[in-house]
Amino acid sequence: MDDAVATERPGPVRAGVVPGSRIALYAAAAVLVTAVLSAAVVALFGVNRVFTGVLLGGVLGIALLVALFRRDAVVLTEQGIERRTPWSAQPLAWERVVGGRFTLDERARWALALDLTGDAELVLLSVPPVVRPVGNAYEMRKREQVQQVRQLLREKRIPITVLPEIATALQRHWRLAPPAR
């Protein structure tokens, strides 16, 4: 009985594509933290502690990188959409969503995006073209995200346009039914 309740009301769906400029900023911040902490340990404890400094700096740099990427997301809930970055959160109402589309992006990847009022778009997912059944954890996570987003959009009665070749591949390889019209 708990499983039926869980499938009827999905929790918040995390999605979002981090732009390249923010990826570079996050990587630079992680490298800077690693370098500063490594230098600080060496300065405080001597040159014999270089390995310790690099290890400590690397661990904290990676922790910072993970925290930044974890915070940078689009969260879809029953109440609305929240576009988050590490330094801000912008709520969007479902009423601003005109429709959704699953098409090719400029890098020949499949992009699931929402069209918003005011000629704006919000990219939720970008996945490599599906050419085989799920073969690894990354593909399984992307399949789950596509399924969760499509289910939530279906519940919100937001029309989704899917290119025929994408719909065919999703159905054939990932066993995701095409959206109901």
Side-chain angles (χ1 to χ4, degrees), residues 92-171:
L92 300 169
W94 282 109
E95 291 76 33
R96 288 204 48 206
V97 179
V98 177
R101 58 190 155 77
F102 212 153
T103 59
L104 291 172
D105 66 8
E106 64 276 355
R107 297 181 302 157
R109 292 173 59 94
W110 294 356
L112 178 55
L114 297 178
D115 294 321
L116 306 173
T117 56
D119 291 333
E121 81 170 359
L122 181 61
V123 179
L124 299 178
L125 298 172
S126 179
V127 297
V130 175
V131 294
R132 67 182 197 289
V134 173
N136 55 45
Y138 173 80
E139 291 174 352
M140 178 61 84
R141 176 65 187 136
K142 290 301 175 185
R143 179 188 181 279
E144 290 171 359
Q145 280 184 313
V146 168
Q147 190 172 17
Q148 291 170 342
V149 168
R150 286 178 57 191
Q151 179 183 353
L152 187 58
L153 294 177
R154 195 174 297 131
E155 288 174 6
K156 292 294 182 181
R157 299 189 189 279
I158 295 172
I160 306 171
T161 304
V162 182
L163 287 177
E165 57 268 18
I166 292 175
T168 302
L170 287 175
Q171 186 174 11

Side-chain angles (χ1 to χ4, degrees), residues 78-92:
E78 289 287 325
Q79 296 75 30
I81 304 166
E82 185 177 37
R83 189 180 345 190
R84 297 187 318 187
T85 61
W87 44 85
S88 69
Q90 178 186 13
L92 300 169

Side-chain angles (χ1 to χ4, degrees), residues 7 26 59 120 144:
T7 57
Y26 298 165
V59 167
E144 290 171 359

